[in-house]
């Protein structure tokens, strides 16, 4: 998973006309390290989405702007708009993340 290097790159990526998933994390976070152990398979299963990692301490202003209150958190963007947010307490297992991402493709999901 590529890591966001600056705010301009972040803005460019969230502006895409497809789902962009931003994983907010931190180097010291044990739950983030656990997520990193299995996120690769989930990314492979969701090739129609783009995934990036964002260091919530390096980009505190983005974390504040998008209400990231716990890490890891997965934020979903499309066309520059935040569509959804999987908060840290629900992002601990592969099953939780797979279920969350599958709902993005559901026709009943407001987009």
């Amino acid at each position: 998973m590529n890591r966001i290097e600056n705010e301009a790159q972040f803005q460019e990526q969230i502006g895409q006309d497809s789902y962009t998933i931003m994983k907010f994390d931190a180097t010291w976070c044990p739950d983030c390290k656990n997520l990193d152990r299995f996120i690769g398979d989930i990314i492979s299963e969701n090739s129609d989405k783009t995934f990036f990692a964002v260091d919530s301490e390096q980009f505190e202003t983005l974390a504040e702007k998008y209400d990231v209150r716990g890490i890891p958190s997965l934020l979903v963007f499309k066309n520059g708009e935040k569509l959804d947010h999987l908060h840290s307490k629900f992002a601990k297992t592969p099953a939780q993340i797979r279920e969350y991402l599958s709902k993005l493709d559901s026709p009943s999901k407001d987009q």
Side-chain angles (χ1 to χ4, degrees):
M1 177 181 321
N2 290 327
R3 191 161 280 284
I4 293 295
E5 301 293 330
N6 56 58
E7 284 197 38
Q9 180 191 19
F10 180 90
Q11 295 301 326
E12 178 184 338
Q13 295 304 322
I14 68 169
Q16 302 298 315
D17 185 30
S18 59
Y19 291 120
T20 301
I21 315 299
M22 294 290 180
K23 176 184 71 98
F24 279 77
D25 62 12
T27 55
W28 53 264
C29 167
D31 287 338
C32 301
K33 291 182 187 336
N34 184 52
L35 173 62
D36 288 342
R37 287 189 8 240
F38 60 78
I39 194 74
D41 289 339
I42 292 171
I43 291 170
S44 296
E45 295 164 11
N46 288 273
S47 60
D48 59 324
K49 300 168 186 69
T50 308
F51 290 77
F52 289 91
V54 181
D55 187 314
S56 61
E57 292 184 320
Q58 181 181 356
F59 295 101
E60 285 183 47
T61 55
L62 291 175
E64 280 182 32
K65 179 178 180 177
Y66 294 108
D67 297 320
V68 175
R69 306 229 188 272
I71 52 174
S73 283
L74 300 178
L75 282 65
V76 180
F77 293 89
K78 187 174 181 180
N79 296 320
E81 183 181 345
K82 178 182 164 186
L83 301 177
D84 213 343
H85 186 150
L86 182 64
H87 296 275
S88 57
K89 67 181 178 180
F90 302 114
K92 295 193 186 284
T93 68
Q96 288 174 314
I97 294 172
R98 283 185 174 103
E99 179 182 348
Y100 172 72
L101 293 174
S102 72
K103 290 179 182 177
L104 294 176
D105 300 320
S106 168
S108 63
K109 176 81 179 146
D110 292 328
Q111 317 241 345

